[in-house]
Amino acid sequence: MVDVKETLALAEERMEEAVMYLDDALAHIRAGKADVRIIDGIRVDSYGSLVPINNVAAVTTPDARTIAIKPWDKSMFRPIEKAIIDSSLGIMPENNGEIIRLGIPPLTEERRKQLAKQCGKEGEQAKVSVRNARRDIIEKLKKGIKDGLAEDAEKDAEAKLQKMHDKYIKKIDELLAAKEKEIMTV
């Protein structure tokens, strides 16, 4: 027989994961401000294996428009610069022999619109994940009726599921609104 609480907990977990994924994805979209998370996806060749930059260097933001990367090993300057140049970040690194600096340029209006669209796509993916979680759980509850679950319990669970769905869709909309505001602020 279907355990309603367990089923709803599973749905909530899947919806929470969708929101966490969106939050992480939005963090990697640069919004004209320096944020060390925008280079998280960049991998550097370090002694034969690809590792994140923060595994081979100290990454800081000395001011709102700069990311400073200080490699622990002097031989890592070239591989780090090459990885940044080859990435889709679109920022040219400056190397003074001690620190690699990434100057975050102000965004153009066109680039702001592109980034807002990209955020919208990420948000839509998260919403689809939340909707899919709801759909899957509703199907599970409907099958539960055949296995002896009371229809009233199924209807109550569906109502709770809908409230949960609405809560997470609202969270996604809030995350998107905050990121869009951050991108569009000059």
Side-chain angles (χ1 to χ4, degrees):
M1 191 156 141
V2 175
D3 182 2
V4 174
K5 280 187 179 176
E6 195 177 292
T7 307
L8 289 176
L10 175 70
E12 185 156 25
E13 185 180 324
R14 286 180 56 190
M15 291 178 187
E16 185 64 39
E17 284 173 1
V19 171
M20 286 170 28
Y21 171 80
L22 175 66
D23 191 34
D24 188 52
L26 293 180
H28 290 87
I29 296 174
R30 70 181 179 98
K33 285 195 308 199
D35 185 350
V36 295
R37 293 185 295 182
I38 65 173
I39 62 168
D40 281 353
I42 302 174
R43 301 279 183 242
V44 179
D45 184 17
S46 173
Y47 303 107
S49 59
L50 292 176
V51 295
I53 290 177
N54 61 4
N55 284 16
V56 294
V59 182
T60 58
T61 52
D63 60 59
R65 293 244 178 247
T66 310
I67 295 176
I69 303 168
K70 187 172 170 83
W72 295 312
D73 181 359
K74 298 276 185 205
S75 67
M76 291 307 296
F77 274 100
R78 281 272 158 252
I80 290 173
E81 282 186 318
K82 183 175 177 352
I84 292 169
I85 291 167
D86 293 346
S87 75
S88 62
L89 197 57
I91 299 174
M92 197 63 176
E94 300 166 20
N95 176 354
N96 68 3
E98 291 287 317
I99 292 177
I100 298 171
R101 281 187 170 55
L102 298 179
I104 309 295
L107 298 172
T108 63
E109 188 64 30
E110 185 179 321
R111 183 71 177 136
R112 288 178 195 280
K113 288 178 181 170
Q114 284 177 339
L115 290 173
K117 261 188 198 171
Q118 186 180 346
C119 289
K121 286 179 185 171
E122 292 287 352
E124 197 50 48
Q125 278 184 323
K127 286 180 180 181
V128 166
S129 295
V130 169
R131 290 181 193 123
N132 285 344
R134 178 186 60 178
R135 185 199 62 222
D136 294 347
I137 299 303
I138 286 175
E139 285 174 12
K140 196 171 186 177
L141 289 170
K142 297 246 187 256
K143 285 180 185 168
I145 290 176
K146 293 176 186 163
D147 295 340
L149 180 68
E151 278 190 38
D152 287 348
E154 188 268 341
K155 289 290 178 207
D156 289 346
E158 233 178 270
K160 285 179 186 170
L161 187 63
Q162 186 60 43
K163 280 183 184 160
M164 198 185 299
H165 166 270
D166 295 344
K167 178 178 100 175
Y168 283 101
I169 293 292
K170 187 175 181 224
K171 272 188 183 179
I172 289 170
D173 287 337
E174 288 168 358
L175 281 172
L176 287 174
K179 187 65 176 185
E180 197 165 309
K181 182 180 179 205
E182 183 184 335
I183 288 172
M184 291 305 187
T185 303
V186 179

Short mmCIF file of all heavy atoms in Angstrom, two decimals, residues 101-166:
data_model
loop_
_atom_site.label_atom_id
_atom_site.label_comp_id
_atom_site.label_asym_id
_atom_site.label_seq_id
_atom_site.Cartn_x
_atom_site.Cartn_y
_atom_site.Cartn_z
N ARG A 101 44.21 38.29 -12.70
CA ARG A 101 43.03 39.10 -12.43
C ARG A 101 42.03 38.95 -13.56
O ARG A 101 42.39 38.96 -14.73
CB ARG A 101 43.41 40.57 -12.30
CG ARG A 101 44.00 40.95 -10.98
CD ARG A 101 44.19 42.46 -10.90
NE ARG A 101 44.54 42.99 -9.62
CZ ARG A 101 45.56 42.63 -8.86
NH1 ARG A 101 46.33 41.68 -9.25
NH2 ARG A 101 45.80 43.20 -7.70
N LEU A 102 40.76 38.82 -13.17
CA LEU A 102 39.67 38.83 -14.15
C LEU A 102 38.86 40.08 -13.90
O LEU A 102 38.20 40.21 -12.86
CB LEU A 102 38.77 37.60 -13.98
CG LEU A 102 39.39 36.23 -14.19
CD1 LEU A 102 38.36 35.14 -13.94
CD2 LEU A 102 39.94 36.11 -15.58
N GLY A 103 38.93 41.02 -14.82
CA GLY A 103 38.12 42.25 -14.71
C GLY A 103 36.74 41.96 -15.27
O GLY A 103 36.60 41.62 -16.44
N ILE A 104 35.73 42.08 -14.43
CA ILE A 104 34.36 41.82 -14.87
C ILE A 104 33.84 43.08 -15.55
O ILE A 104 33.61 44.09 -14.88
CB ILE A 104 33.44 41.44 -13.67
CG1 ILE A 104 34.07 40.31 -12.84
CG2 ILE A 104 32.05 41.09 -14.16
CD1 ILE A 104 34.20 38.99 -13.54
N PRO A 105 33.68 43.04 -16.87
CA PRO A 105 33.23 44.25 -17.56
C PRO A 105 31.75 44.52 -17.31
O PRO A 105 30.98 43.58 -17.06
CB PRO A 105 33.47 43.91 -19.05
CG PRO A 105 33.37 42.44 -19.11
CD PRO A 105 33.87 41.92 -17.78
N PRO A 106 31.36 45.79 -17.36
CA PRO A 106 29.93 46.08 -17.23
C PRO A 106 29.20 45.47 -18.42
O PRO A 106 29.74 45.40 -19.53
CB PRO A 106 29.86 47.61 -17.24
CG PRO A 106 31.19 48.09 -17.69
CD PRO A 106 32.17 46.98 -17.54
N LEU A 107 28.00 45.03 -18.19
CA LEU A 107 27.24 44.37 -19.26
C LEU A 107 26.58 45.38 -20.18
O LEU A 107 26.08 46.41 -19.73
CB LEU A 107 26.15 43.48 -18.62
CG LEU A 107 26.63 42.35 -17.73
CD1 LEU A 107 25.45 41.69 -17.04
CD2 LEU A 107 27.38 41.33 -18.54
N THR A 108 26.55 45.04 -21.47
CA THR A 108 25.82 45.87 -22.42
C THR A 108 24.34 45.54 -22.30
O THR A 108 23.97 44.48 -21.76
CB THR A 108 26.28 45.59 -23.86
OG1 THR A 108 25.97 44.23 -24.17
CG2 THR A 108 27.77 45.83 -24.04
N GLU A 109 23.50 46.42 -22.82
CA GLU A 109 22.05 46.19 -22.75
C GLU A 109 21.67 44.89 -23.45
O GLU A 109 20.87 44.10 -22.95
CB GLU A 109 21.30 47.37 -23.38
CG GLU A 109 19.80 47.33 -23.18
CD GLU A 109 19.40 47.44 -21.71
OE1 GLU A 109 20.11 48.08 -20.92
OE2 GLU A 109 18.35 46.86 -21.36
N GLU A 110 22.30 44.64 -24.61
CA GLU A 110 22.01 43.42 -25.38
C GLU A 110 22.41 42.17 -24.58
O GLU A 110 21.65 41.19 -24.51
CB GLU A 110 22.78 43.46 -26.70
CG GLU A 110 22.48 42.31 -27.63
CD GLU A 110 23.27 42.42 -28.93
OE1 GLU A 110 23.42 43.55 -29.45
OE2 GLU A 110 23.71 41.37 -29.40
N ARG A 111 23.58 42.22 -23.95
CA ARG A 111 24.07 41.08 -23.16
C ARG A 111 23.17 40.85 -21.94
O ARG A 111 22.90 39.73 -21.56
CB ARG A 111 25.52 41.35 -22.73
CG ARG A 111 26.14 40.20 -21.96
CD ARG A 111 26.42 39.00 -22.85
NE ARG A 111 27.07 37.97 -22.05
CZ ARG A 111 26.76 36.70 -22.10
NH1 ARG A 111 25.83 36.26 -22.91
NH2 ARG A 111 27.39 35.83 -21.34
N ARG A 112 22.68 41.95 -21.34
CA ARG A 112 21.76 41.82 -20.21
C ARG A 112 20.50 41.07 -20.62
O ARG A 112 20.02 40.21 -19.90
CB ARG A 112 21.36 43.20 -19.67
CG ARG A 112 22.45 43.91 -18.94
CD ARG A 112 21.97 45.29 -18.49
NE ARG A 112 23.07 46.13 -18.09
CZ ARG A 112 23.68 46.06 -16.92
NH1 ARG A 112 23.29 45.20 -16.04
NH2 ARG A 112 24.68 46.85 -16.64
N LYS A 113 19.99 41.40 -21.79
CA LYS A 113 18.77 40.73 -22.28
C LYS A 113 19.04 39.25 -22.55
O LYS A 113 18.21 38.40 -22.24
CB LYS A 113 18.24 41.43 -23.53
CG LYS A 113 17.62 42.78 -23.21
CD LYS A 113 17.14 43.50 -24.44
CE LYS A 113 16.56 44.85 -24.06
NZ LYS A 113 16.29 45.69 -25.20
N GLN A 114 20.21 38.95 -23.12
CA GLN A 114 20.58 37.55 -23.36
C GLN A 114 20.66 36.77 -22.05
O GLN A 114 20.15 35.65 -21.95
CB GLN A 114 21.96 37.45 -24.05
CG GLN A 114 21.97 37.78 -25.51
CD GLN A 114 23.40 37.74 -26.06
OE1 GLN A 114 24.38 37.84 -25.32
NE2 GLN A 114 23.51 37.60 -27.37
N LEU A 115 21.28 37.37 -21.05
CA LEU A 115 21.42 36.71 -19.75
C LEU A 115 20.06 36.52 -19.08
O LEU A 115 19.81 35.50 -18.45
CB LEU A 115 22.37 37.49 -18.84
CG LEU A 115 23.84 37.48 -19.24
CD1 LEU A 115 24.65 38.41 -18.36
CD2 LEU A 115 24.42 36.09 -19.21
N ALA A 116 19.18 37.52 -19.23
CA ALA A 116 17.84 37.40 -18.66
C ALA A 116 17.09 36.24 -19.33
O ALA A 116 16.39 35.47 -18.66
CB ALA A 116 17.07 38.70 -18.83
N LYS A 117 17.26 36.10 -20.65
CA LYS A 117 16.65 34.98 -21.37
C LYS A 117 17.20 33.65 -20.88
O LYS A 117 16.46 32.69 -20.68
CB LYS A 117 16.93 35.10 -22.88
CG LYS A 117 15.82 35.68 -23.68
CD LYS A 117 16.14 35.56 -25.16
CE LYS A 117 15.27 36.51 -25.94
NZ LYS A 117 15.67 36.59 -27.33
N GLN A 118 18.52 33.61 -20.70
CA GLN A 118 19.17 32.39 -20.22
C GLN A 118 18.63 32.02 -18.84
O GLN A 118 18.34 30.85 -18.57
CB GLN A 118 20.68 32.60 -20.17
CG GLN A 118 21.47 31.36 -19.82
CD GLN A 118 22.97 31.63 -19.77
OE1 GLN A 118 23.45 32.66 -20.24
NE2 GLN A 118 23.71 30.71 -19.19
N CYS A 119 18.45 33.02 -17.98
CA CYS A 119 17.88 32.78 -16.64
C CYS A 119 16.46 32.24 -16.77
O CYS A 119 16.06 31.34 -16.03
CB CYS A 119 17.87 34.06 -15.82
SG CYS A 119 19.50 34.60 -15.32
N GLY A 120 15.71 32.81 -17.69
CA GLY A 120 14.33 32.36 -17.92
C GLY A 120 14.28 30.90 -18.33
O GLY A 120 13.43 30.13 -17.86
N LYS A 121 15.21 30.49 -19.21
CA LYS A 121 15.28 29.09 -19.64
C LYS A 121 15.60 28.17 -18.48
O LYS A 121 14.99 27.11 -18.31
CB LYS A 121 16.32 28.92 -20.75
CG LYS A 121 15.88 29.46 -22.09
CD LYS A 121 16.96 29.29 -23.14
CE LYS A 121 16.55 29.95 -24.44
NZ LYS A 121 17.65 29.99 -25.40
N GLU A 122 16.56 28.59 -17.65
CA GLU A 122 16.93 27.79 -16.47
C GLU A 122 15.73 27.67 -15.54
O GLU A 122 15.45 26.61 -14.99
CB GLU A 122 18.11 28.42 -15.72
CG GLU A 122 19.43 28.39 -16.46
CD GLU A 122 20.07 27.02 -16.53
OE1 GLU A 122 19.60 26.07 -15.88
OE2 GLU A 122 21.07 26.90 -17.26
N GLY A 123 15.02 28.79 -15.36
CA GLY A 123 13.84 28.80 -14.50
C GLY A 123 12.76 27.89 -15.03
O GLY A 123 12.09 27.17 -14.26
N GLU A 124 12.57 27.90 -16.34
CA GLU A 124 11.54 27.04 -16.94
C GLU A 124 11.90 25.57 -16.75
O GLU A 124 11.02 24.76 -16.47
CB GLU A 124 11.38 27.38 -18.43
CG GLU A 124 10.11 26.86 -19.05
CD GLU A 124 8.84 27.18 -18.25
OE1 GLU A 124 8.64 28.34 -17.85
OE2 GLU A 124 8.06 26.26 -18.01
N GLN A 125 13.18 25.24 -16.86
CA GLN A 125 13.60 23.85 -16.62
C GLN A 125 13.29 23.43 -15.19
O GLN A 125 12.82 22.32 -14.95
CB GLN A 125 15.11 23.70 -16.85
CG GLN A 125 15.50 23.52 -18.30
CD GLN A 125 16.99 23.28 -18.43
OE1 GLN A 125 17.81 23.85 -17.71
NE2 GLN A 125 17.36 22.43 -19.38
N ALA A 126 13.54 24.34 -14.25
CA ALA A 126 13.25 24.03 -12.84
C ALA A 126 11.74 23.83 -12.63
O ALA A 126 11.31 22.92 -11.93
CB ALA A 126 13.78 25.14 -11.93
N LYS A 127 10.95 24.69 -13.27
CA LYS A 127 9.49 24.57 -13.15
C LYS A 127 9.01 23.24 -13.73
O LYS A 127 8.13 22.59 -13.16
CB LYS A 127 8.79 25.74 -13.85
CG LYS A 127 8.88 27.04 -13.10
CD LYS A 127 8.16 28.14 -13.85
CE LYS A 127 8.25 29.46 -13.12
NZ LYS A 127 7.54 30.53 -13.80
N VAL A 128 9.59 22.85 -14.86
CA VAL A 128 9.22 21.58 -15.48
C VAL A 128 9.56 20.42 -14.54
O VAL A 128 8.78 19.48 -14.38
CB VAL A 128 9.93 21.41 -16.86
CG1 VAL A 128 9.84 19.98 -17.35
CG2 VAL A 128 9.31 22.36 -17.89
N SER A 129 10.71 20.51 -13.87
CA SER A 129 11.10 19.47 -12.91
C SER A 129 10.09 19.38 -11.77
O SER A 129 9.70 18.29 -11.35
CB SER A 129 12.48 19.75 -12.33
OG SER A 129 13.45 19.68 -13.33
N VAL A 130 9.65 20.53 -11.27
CA VAL A 130 8.67 20.56 -10.19
C VAL A 130 7.35 19.97 -10.67
O VAL A 130 6.73 19.15 -9.98
CB VAL A 130 8.48 22.01 -9.66
CG1 VAL A 130 7.27 22.10 -8.74
CG2 VAL A 130 9.73 22.48 -8.94
N ARG A 131 6.93 20.34 -11.88
CA ARG A 131 5.67 19.81 -12.43
C ARG A 131 5.76 18.30 -12.66
O ARG A 131 4.80 17.57 -12.41
CB ARG A 131 5.33 20.52 -13.74
CG ARG A 131 4.93 21.96 -13.53
CD ARG A 131 4.57 22.62 -14.86
NE ARG A 131 4.49 24.05 -14.70
CZ ARG A 131 5.20 24.92 -15.40
NH1 ARG A 131 6.04 24.51 -16.35
NH2 ARG A 131 5.09 26.20 -15.19
N ASN A 132 6.92 17.85 -13.14
CA ASN A 132 7.10 16.41 -13.36
C ASN A 132 7.03 15.65 -12.04
O ASN A 132 6.45 14.56 -11.98
CB ASN A 132 8.44 16.12 -14.05
CG ASN A 132 8.42 16.49 -15.52
OD1 ASN A 132 7.35 16.68 -16.11
ND2 ASN A 132 9.59 16.61 -16.11
N ALA A 133 7.62 16.23 -10.99
CA ALA A 133 7.56 15.58 -9.68
C ALA A 133 6.11 15.47 -9.23
O ALA A 133 5.68 14.42 -8.76
CB ALA A 133 8.38 16.38 -8.66
N ARG A 134 5.34 16.54 -9.42
CA ARG A 134 3.93 16.52 -9.04
C ARG A 134 3.17 15.46 -9.84
O ARG A 134 2.43 14.66 -9.28
CB ARG A 134 3.29 17.90 -9.27
CG ARG A 134 1.80 17.93 -8.93
CD ARG A 134 1.15 19.24 -9.29
NE ARG A 134 1.28 19.47 -10.73
CZ ARG A 134 0.76 20.53 -11.35
NH1 ARG A 134 0.12 21.44 -10.68
NH2 ARG A 134 0.90 20.68 -12.65
N ARG A 135 3.40 15.44 -11.15
CA ARG A 135 2.71 14.48 -12.01
C ARG A 135 3.02 13.04 -11.60
O ARG A 135 2.12 12.20 -11.48
CB ARG A 135 3.13 14.70 -13.47
CG ARG A 135 2.36 13.81 -14.46
CD ARG A 135 3.04 13.68 -15.80
NE ARG A 135 4.34 13.05 -15.62
CZ ARG A 135 5.44 13.44 -16.25
NH1 ARG A 135 5.42 14.44 -17.09
NH2 ARG A 135 6.58 12.82 -16.03
N ASP A 136 4.31 12.75 -11.37
CA ASP A 136 4.72 11.40 -10.98
C ASP A 136 4.05 10.97 -9.68
O ASP A 136 3.60 9.83 -9.55
CB ASP A 136 6.24 11.31 -10.84
CG ASP A 136 6.97 11.50 -12.17
OD1 ASP A 136 6.29 11.44 -13.23
OD2 ASP A 136 8.19 11.71 -12.14
N ILE A 137 3.99 11.87 -8.72
CA ILE A 137 3.40 11.54 -7.42
C ILE A 137 1.89 11.37 -7.55
O ILE A 137 1.31 10.46 -6.94
CB ILE A 137 3.77 12.61 -6.36
CG1 ILE A 137 5.29 12.66 -6.16
CG2 ILE A 137 3.04 12.35 -5.05
CD1 ILE A 137 5.95 11.35 -5.76
N ILE A 138 1.24 12.19 -8.37
CA ILE A 138 -0.20 12.02 -8.60
C ILE A 138 -0.48 10.64 -9.20
O ILE A 138 -1.40 9.94 -8.79
CB ILE A 138 -0.77 13.16 -9.48
CG1 ILE A 138 -0.86 14.45 -8.67
CG2 ILE A 138 -2.14 12.79 -10.04
CD1 ILE A 138 -1.28 15.67 -9.46
N GLU A 139 0.35 10.23 -10.17
CA GLU A 139 0.19 8.90 -10.77
C GLU A 139 0.37 7.81 -9.71
O GLU A 139 -0.39 6.84 -9.68
CB GLU A 139 1.21 8.69 -11.90
CG GLU A 139 0.87 9.45 -13.17
CD GLU A 139 1.97 9.33 -14.23
OE1 GLU A 139 2.89 8.50 -14.07
OE2 GLU A 139 1.88 10.08 -15.22
N LYS A 140 1.35 8.00 -8.84
CA LYS A 140 1.60 7.02 -7.78
C LYS A 140 0.39 6.95 -6.84
O LYS A 140 0.00 5.86 -6.41
CB LYS A 140 2.86 7.44 -7.01
CG LYS A 140 3.45 6.36 -6.15
CD LYS A 140 4.80 6.82 -5.61
CE LYS A 140 5.48 5.71 -4.86
NZ LYS A 140 6.80 6.08 -4.38
N LEU A 141 -0.18 8.10 -6.53
CA LEU A 141 -1.36 8.13 -5.64
C LEU A 141 -2.56 7.45 -6.31
O LEU A 141 -3.32 6.73 -5.65
CB LEU A 141 -1.70 9.57 -5.24
CG LEU A 141 -0.71 10.24 -4.28
CD1 LEU A 141 -1.02 11.74 -4.17
CD2 LEU A 141 -0.72 9.58 -2.92
N LYS A 142 -2.73 7.69 -7.61
CA LYS A 142 -3.85 7.07 -8.34
C LYS A 142 -3.69 5.55 -8.35
O LYS A 142 -4.67 4.82 -8.20
CB LYS A 142 -3.93 7.61 -9.78
CG LYS A 142 -4.22 9.09 -9.85
CD LYS A 142 -5.54 9.36 -10.47
CE LYS A 142 -5.74 10.84 -10.70
NZ LYS A 142 -6.64 11.46 -9.75
N LYS A 143 -2.44 5.08 -8.52
CA LYS A 143 -2.19 3.64 -8.46
C LYS A 143 -2.46 3.12 -7.05
O LYS A 143 -2.88 1.98 -6.88
CB LYS A 143 -0.75 3.32 -8.88
CG LYS A 143 -0.51 3.42 -10.36
CD LYS A 143 0.92 3.10 -10.72
CE LYS A 143 1.16 3.34 -12.20
NZ LYS A 143 2.58 3.32 -12.54
N GLY A 144 -2.20 3.98 -6.06
CA GLY A 144 -2.44 3.62 -4.67
C GLY A 144 -3.90 3.33 -4.38
O GLY A 144 -4.23 2.48 -3.55
N ILE A 145 -4.80 4.02 -5.09
CA ILE A 145 -6.25 3.77 -4.91
C ILE A 145 -6.55 2.32 -5.30
O ILE A 145 -7.31 1.63 -4.61
CB ILE A 145 -7.09 4.76 -5.76
CG1 ILE A 145 -7.00 6.16 -5.16
CG2 ILE A 145 -8.55 4.32 -5.81
CD1 ILE A 145 -7.71 7.23 -5.95
N LYS A 146 -5.94 1.86 -6.38
CA LYS A 146 -6.15 0.48 -6.82
C LYS A 146 -5.61 -0.51 -5.80
O LYS A 146 -6.10 -1.62 -5.68
CB LYS A 146 -5.48 0.25 -8.18
CG LYS A 146 -6.12 1.02 -9.31
CD LYS A 146 -5.36 0.83 -10.61
CE LYS A 146 -5.94 1.74 -11.67
NZ LYS A 146 -5.03 1.90 -12.80
N ASP A 147 -4.57 -0.08 -5.06
CA ASP A 147 -3.96 -0.96 -4.05
C ASP A 147 -4.62 -0.83 -2.68
O ASP A 147 -4.11 -1.36 -1.70
CB ASP A 147 -2.46 -0.64 -3.92
CG ASP A 147 -1.69 -0.97 -5.19
OD1 ASP A 147 -2.20 -1.77 -6.01
OD2 ASP A 147 -0.59 -0.42 -5.36
N GLY A 148 -5.70 -0.06 -2.61
CA GLY A 148 -6.44 0.00 -1.35
C GLY A 148 -6.36 1.33 -0.61
O GLY A 148 -6.85 1.43 0.51
N LEU A 149 -5.76 2.34 -1.21
CA LEU A 149 -5.71 3.65 -0.58
C LEU A 149 -7.10 4.30 -0.67
O LEU A 149 -7.74 4.24 -1.73
CB LEU A 149 -4.67 4.54 -1.28
CG LEU A 149 -4.48 5.96 -0.75
CD1 LEU A 149 -3.85 5.91 0.64
CD2 LEU A 149 -3.61 6.77 -1.68
N ALA A 150 -7.54 4.89 0.41
CA ALA A 150 -8.87 5.52 0.41
C ALA A 150 -8.86 6.73 -0.52
O ALA A 150 -7.88 7.46 -0.60
CB ALA A 150 -9.22 5.96 1.83
N GLU A 151 -9.98 6.92 -1.24
CA GLU A 151 -10.06 8.05 -2.18
C GLU A 151 -9.94 9.39 -1.47
O GLU A 151 -9.35 10.32 -2.01
CB GLU A 151 -11.37 7.99 -2.98
CG GLU A 151 -11.31 7.03 -4.14
CD GLU A 151 -12.52 7.14 -5.07
OE1 GLU A 151 -12.99 8.26 -5.31
OE2 GLU A 151 -12.96 6.09 -5.56
N ASP A 152 -10.50 9.48 -0.25
CA ASP A 152 -10.39 10.73 0.51
C ASP A 152 -8.93 11.04 0.82
O ASP A 152 -8.49 12.19 0.71
CB ASP A 152 -11.18 10.63 1.83
CG ASP A 152 -12.68 10.67 1.60
OD1 ASP A 152 -13.10 11.00 0.47
OD2 ASP A 152 -13.44 10.37 2.55
N ALA A 153 -8.19 10.02 1.21
CA ALA A 153 -6.77 10.20 1.52
C ALA A 153 -6.01 10.63 0.27
O ALA A 153 -5.12 11.49 0.33
CB ALA A 153 -6.18 8.91 2.08
N GLU A 154 -6.37 10.06 -0.86
CA GLU A 154 -5.72 10.41 -2.13
C GLU A 154 -6.02 11.86 -2.48
O GLU A 154 -5.13 12.60 -2.90
CB GLU A 154 -6.19 9.45 -3.24
CG GLU A 154 -5.45 9.61 -4.55
CD GLU A 154 -6.11 10.57 -5.52
OE1 GLU A 154 -7.31 10.86 -5.37
OE2 GLU A 154 -5.42 11.04 -6.45
N LYS A 155 -7.28 12.30 -2.31
CA LYS A 155 -7.67 13.68 -2.63
C LYS A 155 -6.95 14.66 -1.70
O LYS A 155 -6.48 15.71 -2.14
CB LYS A 155 -9.19 13.86 -2.51
CG LYS A 155 -9.98 13.18 -3.61
CD LYS A 155 -9.76 13.85 -4.94
CE LYS A 155 -10.51 13.14 -6.04
NZ LYS A 155 -9.89 13.32 -7.34
N ASP A 156 -6.87 14.31 -0.39
CA ASP A 156 -6.16 15.17 0.57
C ASP A 156 -4.69 15.28 0.19
O ASP A 156 -4.11 16.37 0.23
CB ASP A 156 -6.28 14.61 1.99
CG ASP A 156 -7.69 14.74 2.56
OD1 ASP A 156 -8.49 15.50 1.97
OD2 ASP A 156 -7.98 14.07 3.58
N ALA A 157 -4.09 14.15 -0.17
CA ALA A 157 -2.68 14.14 -0.55
C ALA A 157 -2.46 14.97 -1.81
O ALA A 157 -1.47 15.71 -1.92
CB ALA A 157 -2.21 12.71 -0.77
N GLU A 158 -3.40 14.88 -2.74
CA GLU A 158 -3.29 15.66 -3.98
C GLU A 158 -3.37 17.15 -3.69
O GLU A 158 -2.65 17.95 -4.28
CB GLU A 158 -4.42 15.26 -4.95
CG GLU A 158 -3.89 14.86 -6.31
CD GLU A 158 -4.98 14.41 -7.25
OE1 GLU A 158 -5.29 13.22 -7.27
OE2 GLU A 158 -5.51 15.28 -7.97
N ALA A 159 -4.26 17.53 -2.76
CA ALA A 159 -4.39 18.94 -2.38
C ALA A 159 -3.09 19.43 -1.73
O ALA A 159 -2.60 20.53 -2.05
CB ALA A 159 -5.57 19.13 -1.43
N LYS A 160 -2.50 18.62 -0.85
CA LYS A 160 -1.23 18.99 -0.21
C LYS A 160 -0.14 19.11 -1.26
O LYS A 160 0.71 20.00 -1.21
CB LYS A 160 -0.84 17.95 0.84
CG LYS A 160 -1.63 18.02 2.11
CD LYS A 160 -1.18 16.93 3.09
CE LYS A 160 -2.08 16.91 4.31
NZ LYS A 160 -1.82 15.73 5.16
N LEU A 161 -0.16 18.17 -2.20
CA LEU A 161 0.84 18.17 -3.28
C LEU A 161 0.72 19.44 -4.11
O LEU A 161 1.73 20.05 -4.48
CB LEU A 161 0.63 16.92 -4.15
CG LEU A 161 1.66 16.65 -5.22
CD1 LEU A 161 3.03 16.40 -4.60
CD2 LEU A 161 1.25 15.44 -6.05
N GLN A 162 -0.50 19.87 -4.39
CA GLN A 162 -0.72 21.09 -5.17
C GLN A 162 -0.19 22.32 -4.41
O GLN A 162 0.45 23.19 -5.00
CB GLN A 162 -2.21 21.27 -5.51
CG GLN A 162 -2.48 22.44 -6.44
CD GLN A 162 -1.78 22.33 -7.78
OE1 GLN A 162 -1.75 21.26 -8.39
NE2 GLN A 162 -1.20 23.42 -8.24
N LYS A 163 -0.44 22.36 -3.10
CA LYS A 163 0.07 23.48 -2.29
C LYS A 163 1.60 23.50 -2.32
O LYS A 163 2.22 24.55 -2.43
CB LYS A 163 -0.42 23.36 -0.84
CG LYS A 163 -1.84 23.84 -0.64
CD LYS A 163 -2.23 23.77 0.81
CE LYS A 163 -3.70 24.16 0.98
NZ LYS A 163 -4.26 23.68 2.24
N MET A 164 2.19 22.30 -2.20
CA MET A 164 3.64 22.17 -2.25
C MET A 164 4.16 22.65 -3.60
O MET A 164 5.14 23.41 -3.67
CB MET A 164 3.99 20.68 -2.04
CG MET A 164 5.40 20.40 -1.64
SD MET A 164 5.69 18.62 -1.57
CE MET A 164 4.54 18.09 -0.34
N HIS A 165 3.50 22.23 -4.66
CA HIS A 165 3.87 22.63 -6.02
C HIS A 165 3.84 24.15 -6.14
O HIS A 165 4.78 24.77 -6.63
CB HIS A 165 2.90 21.97 -7.01
CG HIS A 165 2.94 22.53 -8.39
ND1 HIS A 165 2.14 23.58 -8.78
CD2 HIS A 165 3.70 22.22 -9.47
CE1 HIS A 165 2.40 23.89 -10.04
NE2 HIS A 165 3.34 23.08 -10.48
N ASP A 166 2.76 24.76 -5.67
CA ASP A 166 2.61 26.22 -5.76
C ASP A 166 3.71 26.93 -4.99
O ASP A 166 4.26 27.94 -5.44
CB ASP A 166 1.23 26.66 -5.25
CG ASP A 166 0.10 26.12 -6.13
OD1 ASP A 166 0.37 25.69 -7.28
OD2 ASP A 166 -1.06 26.13 -5.66
#
